[in-house]
Amino acid sequence: MTVELLVDASANQDGARDRVAARNGIHKSVITDRVKRIEKFFGVSLFGGPQRKEPTKAGIVMARYGPRLISEIEYFSEMVRDEASGD
């Protein structure tokens, strides 16, 4: 969801958190918490500016490459499950 938020925010679309929350059926506070955890994990700020709505350079990189990484992780997860079901 954080990558999804960054993609929307990178496109300078106001209300990105509201839209991402609505698409995923969750509260904006859940997104805020996930953003904070990812920022802590990577040790970078993903958003800056007034009300932390604008992606930082790190946030833009995550928006650009995050979807590809998520796709690869999903593919890897599927491979592992397929192999496990063959045991």
Side-chain angles (χ1 to χ4, degrees), residues 1 4-5 9 22 28 32 34 48 55 57 78 81 86:
M1 268 182 271
E4 183 182 0
L5 174 62
K28 286 192 311 184
T32 300
R34 290 185 182 181
K57 288 181 182 181
E78 186 177 312
R81 283 193 301 273

Side-chain angles (χ1 to χ4, degrees), residues 9-47:
S10 297
N12 294 321
Q13 297 179 11
D14 289 334
R17 288 178 200 252
D18 292 322
R19 278 192 309 284
V20 171
R23 278 196 302 259
N24 290 283
I26 59 172
H27 293 285
K28 286 192 311 184
S29 61
V30 173
I31 294 170
T32 300
D33 180 59
R34 290 185 182 181
V35 168
K36 287 178 183 176
R37 284 192 277 162
I38 289 174
E39 288 176 328
K40 184 176 179 181
F41 178 80
F42 285 106
V44 298
S45 292
L46 298 174
F47 291 93

